[in-house]
């Protein structure tokens, strides 16, 4: 019998971990493995807020695929996926077409705009290395412009962040730390700069422990962040954003609008004939698509109910990695002719949100709350643990956060 073709789409947390594990667990004769990714690198999505704020260089977050994958074992194709045909078992790429026996979809997330006018055109989103690098460059460029303008241009120094969820709060922590450096570099008095957060819901970090939320908001306010809670973004224009609270609208002039308030699955998944909810496939317990026994979906393109909370698992790197590990084990079973697949069981290692390099909040071991430096160290432990898992000590030493005890 010929070897089955396993094709993995996307080299994010879900895709790269699936591939690394398949490479380890399968023998060369078991299957042909192909990985398709837009770029020739894997990147740490969970560090993008640091790149966007300019507190971390983007090269720290990028790992060449060749450092993780043995190209003698895995056929790597750097290309963009355009569509998937699950009936015909084909994937259309920009530069060609692939057929598969088993498919793993790990194409990640896209920004959700909730229909807000002008958002896609005039706001930036923290979605990948390119978009994050652009945010850093634009903010720097606006600060550089300020003292060259004939009139006072407050819009250049006003940074508006839409959304006070995990990503929004983490970005606020970084940008609040970066602003004093930018002020010094471009000879701007700190009090001229405004950092405004706009959140539609009644609290920041919805779902987090209230004591931790209060700590996070207080710490960010001390660093100059202004929170506008229960406030809707109505429109984004070239000149700024229009917000509304209690039926009153206000225009905030700003050239630095960063949208961090919502994600969906990749639209390619939504347009490829799968049953979807916001571009996410409601997978079975073993992470296969409902109608297709040979299609596994991992990470932010999948949606799965948590039986404990009766709500879907949130889109996180932690879950994408665990889904990938399970999928590699299940694929091993399938290629060996065993169709009894393991169900997904979430092993909750805790959640930590950073508030800048040395501050954070988090919950570990189910209910243990962490604040400040200890939470920040825990965040770096989580990041380093991932690197060790993915590429061993070599990768950890090259890319790890080794400044945690300073
Ligand atoms: P991704 O990591 O998004 O990877 C998708 C991959 O697919 C990318 O490599 C991309 O280049 C590739 N791709 C996309 N489209 C195509 C295409 N058409 N063709 C080819 N390749 C394509 N989660 C946590 O658990 N903890 C955190 O602390 C945390 N912090 C976060 C901070 C920020 C700023 C953000 C944005 C997210 C954070 N998350 C965190 C969420 C987490 O990053 C995501 O849940 C996770 O990245 C999902 O992994 P994934 O493998 O599904 O997708």
């Amino acid at each position: 019998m010929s070897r089955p073709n396993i094709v993995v789409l996307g080299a994010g947390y879900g895709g790269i971990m699936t591939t690394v594990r398949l490479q380890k667990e399968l023998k060369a004769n078991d299957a042909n493995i192909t990985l398709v990714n837009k770029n020739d690198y894997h990147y740490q999505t969970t560090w993008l807020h640091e790149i966007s704020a300019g507190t971390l260089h983007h090269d720290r977050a990028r790992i060449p695929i060749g450092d993780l994958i043995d190209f003698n074992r895995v056929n790597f194709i750097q290309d963009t996926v355009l569509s998937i045909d699950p009936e015909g078992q084909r994937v259309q790429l920009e530069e060609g077409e692939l057929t598969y026996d088993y498919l793993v979809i790990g194409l990640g997330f896209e920004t959700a705009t909730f229909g807000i006018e002008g958002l896609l055109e005039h706001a930036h989103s923290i979605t990948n290395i390119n978009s994050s690098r652009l945010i850093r460059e634009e903010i720097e460029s606006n600060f550089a412009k300020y003292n060259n303008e004939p009139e006072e241009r407050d819009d250049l120094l006003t940074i508006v962040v839409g959304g006070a969820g995990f990503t929004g709060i983490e970005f606020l922590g970084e940008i609040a730390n970066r602003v004093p450096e930018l002020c010094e570099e471009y000879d701007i008095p700190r009090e001229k700069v405004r950092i405004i957060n706009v959140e539609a819901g009644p609290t920041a970090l919805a779902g987090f422990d209230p004591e931790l939320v209060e700590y996070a908001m207080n710490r960010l306010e001390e660093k100059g962040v202004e929170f506008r809670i229960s406030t809707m973004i109505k429109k984004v224009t070239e000149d700024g954003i229009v917000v509304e609270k209690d039926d009153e609208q206000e225009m905030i002039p700003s050239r630095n609008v960063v949208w961090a308030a919502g994600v969906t699955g990749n639209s390619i998944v939504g347009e490829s004939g799968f049953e979807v909810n916001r571009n996410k496939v409601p997978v079975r317990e073993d992470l296969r698509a409902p109608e297709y026994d040979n299609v596994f979906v991992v990470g932010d393109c999948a949606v799965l109910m948590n039986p404990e909370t009766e709500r879907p698992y949130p889109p996180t790197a932690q879950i994408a990695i665990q889904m990938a590990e399970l999928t590699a084990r299940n694929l091993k079973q399938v290629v060996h002719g065993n169709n009894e697949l393991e169900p997904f069981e979430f092993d909750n290692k805790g959640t930590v949100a950073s508030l800048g390099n040395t501050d954070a909040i988090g919950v570990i071991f189910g209910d243990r709350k962490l604040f400040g430096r200890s939470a920040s160290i825990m965040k770096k432990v989580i990041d380093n643990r991932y690197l060790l898992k993915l590429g061993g000590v070599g990768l950890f030493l090259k890319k790890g956060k080794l400044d945690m005890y300073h």
Side-chain angles (χ1 to χ4, degrees):
M1 202 183 103
S2 65
R3 286 183 282 184
N5 286 324
I6 301 177
V7 173
V8 181
L9 305 181
Y13 293 100
I16 198 78
M17 190 55 94
T18 305
T19 312
V20 164
R21 285 294 159 106
L22 284 175
Q23 168 180 280
K24 239 183 233 163
E25 306 222 355
L26 293 185
K27 296 201 189 75
N29 280 335
D30 286 341
N32 300 317
I33 308 167
T34 300
L35 171 66
V36 184
N37 194 49
K38 248 183 203 171
N39 310 297
D40 60 359
Y41 56 83
H42 160 68
Y43 57 85
Q44 293 263 45
T45 309
T46 60
W47 296 1
L48 290 179
H49 56 290
E50 297 170 65
I51 295 164
S52 306
T55 49
L56 185 82
H57 192 270
H58 50 269
D59 280 339
R60 279 290 304 282
R62 295 202 280 197
I63 304 167
I65 301 281
D67 286 3
L68 303 169
I69 299 297
D70 174 359
F71 291 148
N72 293 318
R73 285 284 289 111
V74 174
N75 172 29
F76 173 62
I77 300 176
Q78 183 182 350
D79 205 342
T80 299
V81 177
L82 297 181
S83 63
I84 303 163
D85 169 11
E87 291 294 338
Q89 301 187 193
R90 281 172 216 285
V91 178
Q92 186 63 47
L93 308 177
E94 232 165 49
E95 306 283 338
E97 194 183 76
L98 286 172
T99 56
Y100 62 81
D101 297 301
Y102 299 103
L103 184 70
V104 180
I105 302 174
L107 292 171
F109 66 92
E110 274 179 14
T111 302
T113 61
F114 305 117
I116 298 173
E117 193 187 326
L119 196 86
L120 268 187
E121 298 83 354
H122 303 296
H124 293 285
S125 301
I126 306 176
T127 38
N128 53 40
I129 293 281
N130 292 330
S131 74
S132 301
R133 197 165 33 194
L134 186 61
I135 294 171
R136 178 190 72 204
E137 297 281 325
E138 294 254 317
I139 293 176
E140 270 192 35
S141 148
N142 286 334
F143 274 64
K145 268 186 208 148
Y146 182 75
N147 280 326
N148 290 292
E149 294 290 312
E151 285 161 23
E152 190 131 324
R153 292 269 313 272
D154 293 341
D155 59 332
L156 293 172
L157 302 182
T158 301
I159 299 165
V160 178
V161 180
F166 212 89
T167 303
I169 289 292
E170 289 202 317
F171 176 68
L172 286 167
E174 295 298 323
I175 198 70
N177 281 356
R178 181 83 206 287
V179 158
E181 281 174 22
L182 287 171
C183 288
E184 204 175 309
E185 194 171 340
Y186 296 104
D187 302 313
I188 292 164
R190 171 65 185 86
E191 61 277 11
K192 296 269 181 204
V193 180
R194 290 179 77 191
I195 307 172
I196 303 170
N197 175 259
V198 183
E199 166 58 50
T203 172
L205 287 170
F208 246 69
D209 178 274
E211 198 186 354
L212 295 176
V213 176
E214 199 189 334
Y215 174 89
M217 289 179 75
N218 287 342
R219 296 289 288 134
L220 293 172
E221 275 172 345
E222 281 163 21
K223 289 187 201 171
V225 174
E226 300 167 40
F227 282 99
R228 305 279 190 97
I229 299 295
S230 302
T231 304
M232 303 282 287
I233 295 182
K234 299 303 282 184
K235 185 158 96 175
V236 187
T237 70
E238 201 186 335
D239 301 321
I241 67 166
V242 177
V243 297
E244 184 179 294
K245 185 168 184 173
D246 301 333
D247 292 332
E248 291 223 356
Q249 293 204 349
E250 180 192 345
M251 164 74 179
I252 305 175
S254 168
R255 295 280 164 165
N256 313 288
V257 179
V258 177
W259 174 247
V263 293
T264 65
N266 194 312
S267 52
I268 289 168
V269 176
E271 289 156 9
S272 291
F274 295 100
E275 175 191 333
V276 286
N277 182 356
R278 289 162 56 92
N279 294 334
K280 290 167 178 257
V281 178
V283 288
R284 293 179 251 170
E285 275 188 326
D286 55 23
L287 308 181
R288 286 185 297 177
E291 321 91 320
Y292 301 99
D293 283 351
N294 61 345
V295 178
F296 294 79
V297 191
V298 295
D300 286 6
C301 288
V303 61
L304 181 65
M305 276 301 184
N306 178 345
E308 273 176 32
T309 60
E310 293 181 2
R311 293 175 53 83
Y313 287 110
T316 67
Q318 188 183 174
I319 288 174
I321 294 162
Q322 292 184 21
M323 286 178 156
E325 290 169 325
L326 174 70
T327 297
R329 283 200 301 278
N330 277 339
L331 272 168
K332 186 179 173 185
Q333 294 300 320
V334 171
V335 299
H336 288 150
N338 178 359
N339 282 325
E340 271 192 28
L341 303 189
E342 243 182 271
F344 180 75
E345 273 178 38
F346 180 43
D347 175 14
N348 191 350
K349 308 258 191 244
T351 307
V352 185
S354 81
L355 304 170
N357 188 34
T358 55
D359 202 357
I361 51 167
V363 181
I364 55 165
F365 305 129
D367 59 358
R368 179 147 172 238
K369 293 184 220 174
L370 292 179
F371 301 84
R373 197 148 188 106
S374 55
S376 169
I377 289 174
M378 181 50 72
K379 178 96 182 161
K380 289 171 186 166
V381 168
I382 293 169
D383 290 342
N384 290 339
R385 199 166 48 197
Y386 170 66
L387 293 170
L388 275 168
K389 212 177 215 192
L390 187 67
V393 178
L395 184 63
F396 160 64
L397 290 175
K398 223 194 263 176
K399 299 286 183 179
K401 296 211 166 161
L402 307 173
D403 60 337
M404 52 199 261
Y405 300 111
H406 296 179

